[in-house]
């Protein structure tokens, strides 16, 4: 039976004391199946360990390329994912999130061969994941990794990945009163200990997320990463000029466009006050940026009595409110990072001018004169139709 492993990866061997009483420092090792190899790098030299892992992968895949194209049954899927993580992931818009998705794929598919990727295997992954759209995004990464591996000349066949269907667009958005209820539920909440309220206001970071989301329509991930001063690799608010730079400097543009936008005056006043009070990030906890907010957000929505609301609902609400107010589609598209086609297709029915011409026509009971774009040409009657009518005699 062929040896199936999770592919080359790093693991940290903790510091230990041998039988002679000598202390062995913590070291990074490369583990590849049954093979284990020291990188010679200490616990704090993660960069050096990553470089050693890249060199190991180079050596391994160079040998594979020298043998020529291989069949899918000969290729460990863990090697395919490792190659993608080395070559492509560092150039993506969010390498850390992409690496987390690859880890989930590796946990499920790490012991398989490339030939094991079938429609049934993909559907089983989606069922085990229990979040169809998250599973779809991760399987898209798997497809990209397989295509990259083949483009590098390391596989002789095309392997298809079956994706779950896309979710239907959600139409849930907050009313003004619901938004106010959510903000107050987060801002006023006090932590309870032994059934008694304390002075700890542990959900105010959720209120800040809600405010920024409703005023800017920015995706939750960019809000959570945003700083209140320039910081490498992060979106940031220029509070002097009143501009939100949603895409970090040096990060390439993706389909999820993140153009810089002006900050509305009311939100700008909040942000400047938070900075004066010592905040470094727009949404922070104990002085550090918040990376996970789903559970706290869900608790706030439950407290406010709001069902079916997720952090992404804030963006959907902001766009919907803009459309309800009759926003110009071109300017709204630039502000929210959406195409005009997307605005019309998903949010167009909220605009007050949506099918306004047809509404006016139907208000008249359809009795409006024929459109000039579709003239009725009375001269184009067929000869047979003209023959059916009695002809007038001259002088009659």
């Amino acid at each position: 039976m062929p040896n199936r492993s999770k592919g080359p990866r790093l693991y940290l061997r903790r510091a230990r004391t041998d039988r002679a009483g000598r202390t062995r420092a913590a070291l990074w090792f490369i583990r590849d199946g049954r093979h284990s190899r020291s990188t010679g790098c200490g616990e704090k030299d993660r960069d050096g360990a990553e470089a050693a892992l890249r060199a190991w992968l180079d050596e391994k895949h160079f040998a594979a390329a020298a043998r020529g194209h291989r069949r899918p049954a000969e290729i460990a899927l863990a090697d395919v994912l490792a190659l993608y993580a080395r070559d492509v992931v560092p150039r993506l818009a969010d390498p850390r999130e992409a690496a987390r998705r690859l880890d989930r794929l590796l946990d499920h598919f790490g012991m398989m061969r490339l030939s094991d990727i079938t429609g049934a295997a993909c559907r089983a992954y989606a069922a085990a994941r229990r979040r169809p759209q998250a599973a779809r995004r991760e399987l898209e990464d798997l497809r990209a990794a397989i295509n990259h591996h083949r483009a590098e000349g390391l596989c002789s066949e095309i392997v298809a990945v079956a994706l779950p269907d896309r979710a239907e667009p959600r139409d849930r958005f907050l009313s003004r009163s619901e938004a106010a209820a959510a903000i107050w539920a987060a801002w006023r909440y006090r932590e309870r200990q032994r059934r008694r309220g304390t002075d700890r206001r542990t959900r105010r970071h959720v209120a800040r997320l809600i405010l920024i989301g409703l005023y800017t329509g920015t995706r939750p991930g960019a809000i959570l990463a945003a700083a209140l001063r320039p910081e490498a690799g992060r979106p940031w608010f220029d509070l002097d000029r009143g501009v939100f730079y949603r895409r970090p400097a040096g990060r390439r543009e993706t389909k999820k466009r993140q153009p810089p936008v002006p900050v509305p005056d009311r939100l700008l006043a909040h942000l400047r006050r938070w900075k004066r009070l010592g905040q470094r990030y727009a949404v922070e906890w104990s002085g550090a940026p918040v990376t996970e907010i789903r559970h706290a957000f869900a608790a706030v929505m439950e407290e406010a009595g709001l069902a079916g609301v997720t952090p992404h609902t804030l963006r959907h609400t902001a766009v919907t409110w803009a459309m309800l107010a009759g926003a110009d589609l071109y300017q709204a598209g630039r502000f929210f990072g959406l195409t005009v086609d997307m605005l019309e297709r998903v949010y167009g029915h909220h605009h007050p001018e949506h099918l306004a011409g047809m509404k006016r026509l139907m208000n008249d009971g359809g009795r409006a004169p024929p459109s000039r774009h579709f003239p009725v040409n009375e001269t184009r009657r067929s000869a047979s139709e003209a023959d059916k009518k009695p002809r007038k005699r001259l002088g009659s």
Side-chain angles (χ1 to χ4, degrees):
M1 185 178 198
N3 177 35
R4 297 190 174 190
S5 74
K6 288 189 175 182
R9 62 198 185 281
L10 291 173
Y11 78 96
L12 182 65
R13 191 189 67 183
R14 299 295 179 183
R16 55 194 176 90
T17 303
D18 61 17
R19 293 181 179 178
R22 292 172 298 185
T23 300
R24 303 288 185 181
L27 286 175
W28 286 103
F29 275 71
I30 297 172
R31 179 174 290 168
D32 188 1
R34 297 177 182 176
H35 180 84
S36 182
R37 174 178 178 176
S38 173
T39 65
C41 300
E43 181 177 3
K44 296 183 179 180
D45 189 13
R46 178 64 187 248
D47 291 341
E50 294 282 359
L53 177 61
R54 286 194 296 270
W56 173 260
L57 287 169
D58 282 337
E59 178 182 343
K60 183 173 183 177
H61 287 289
F62 177 80
R67 294 197 300 271
H69 287 293
R70 294 179 296 163
R71 297 178 62 82
E74 302 173 307
I75 301 169
L77 194 58
D79 288 346
V80 175
L81 295 173
L83 184 68
Y84 184 75
R86 185 197 72 178
D87 293 351
V88 180
V89 167
R91 296 185 279 109
L92 297 178
D94 192 345
R96 289 178 295 181
E97 179 58 30
R100 284 192 285 268
R101 293 196 299 267
L102 291 187
D103 284 342
R104 297 188 191 102
L105 290 169
L106 195 59
D107 287 341
H108 187 88
F109 294 110
M111 305 297 288
M112 297 184 183
R113 297 282 167 173
L114 192 52
S115 57
D116 295 329
I117 299 301
T118 62
C122 295
R123 289 188 291 273
Y125 177 79
R129 191 73 174 84
R130 295 184 180 180
R131 295 177 58 195
Q133 294 313 298
R136 180 184 174 90
R137 183 66 188 90
E138 289 152 14
L139 288 171
E140 287 174 345
D141 285 328
L142 177 62
R143 180 177 62 184
I146 292 172
N147 290 341
H148 174 70
H149 182 269
R150 186 168 60 86
E152 291 293 301
L154 299 174
C155 181
S156 60
E157 299 176 19
I158 295 175
V159 176
V161 175
L163 302 178
D165 294 334
R166 290 186 181 275
E168 291 295 324
R170 295 180 180 178
D171 201 37
R172 175 71 164 103
F173 64 94
L174 299 176
S175 66
R176 301 278 177 177
S177 59
E178 286 178 329
I183 292 170
W184 280 116
W187 193 257
R188 291 175 172 175
Y189 175 80
R190 294 193 302 169
E191 187 179 86
R192 298 184 65 84
Q193 295 179 1
R194 297 181 180 178
R195 299 183 180 181
R196 292 185 178 182
T198 67
D199 292 331
R200 286 172 54 82
R201 307 282 184 170
T202 54
R203 291 180 183 171
R204 288 191 167 178
H205 62 296
V206 179
R208 294 185 171 98
L209 171 72
I210 296 171
L211 278 172
I212 299 171
L214 293 178
Y215 271 114
T216 68
T218 302
R219 293 179 177 85
I223 297 175
L224 296 179
L228 300 182
R229 56 178 62 84
E231 189 170 319
R234 289 188 177 276
W236 71 287
F237 287 93
D238 184 343
L239 300 184
D240 295 326
R241 297 177 55 230
V243 178
F244 184 12
Y245 293 94
R246 296 187 286 199
R247 180 163 58 91
R251 182 174 294 180
R252 70 182 184 87
E253 188 70 275
T254 67
K255 291 186 293 185
K256 295 183 177 180
R257 296 179 296 174
Q258 297 174 307
V261 293
V263 182
D265 292 339
R266 291 184 179 181
L267 176 61
L268 188 60
H270 285 301
L271 292 166
R272 286 171 174 168
R273 185 177 69 257
W274 299 344
K275 185 177 181 181
R276 286 196 303 271
L277 293 174
Q279 278 190 217
R280 295 178 55 196
Y281 303 97
V283 181
E284 67 177 28
W285 178 266
S286 298
V290 176
T291 57
E292 174 55 57
I293 204 167
R294 283 181 301 170
H295 298 298
F297 188 90
V300 168
M301 294 305 113
E302 182 178 359
E303 181 79 14
L306 302 177
V309 180
T310 67
H312 187 76
T313 305
L314 303 176
R315 173 173 168 83
H316 185 68
T317 298
V319 181
T320 302
W321 285 359
M323 298 298 283
L324 287 169
D328 176 80
L329 293 183
Y330 178 73
Q331 290 197 25
R334 293 191 64 183
F335 188 89
F336 295 117
L338 296 168
T339 64
V340 172
D341 176 69
M342 173 68 76
L343 281 171
E344 290 181 330
R345 179 161 47 86
V346 179
Y347 301 95
H349 60 286
H350 293 297
H351 200 283
E353 292 300 315
H354 178 63
L355 298 179
M358 282 301 302
K359 179 181 177 181
R360 288 190 292 270
L361 177 66
M362 300 313 293
N363 282 341
D364 293 332
R367 292 189 296 271
S371 169
R372 60 186 177 87
H373 298 291
F374 301 96
V376 177
N377 191 342
E378 296 291 341
T379 63
R380 293 185 179 179
R381 293 197 180 112
S382 66
S384 59
E385 184 181 356
D387 290 341
K388 292 178 183 178
K389 293 189 175 182
R391 296 181 180 179
K392 290 186 178 181
R393 294 182 180 181
L394 292 177
S396 61

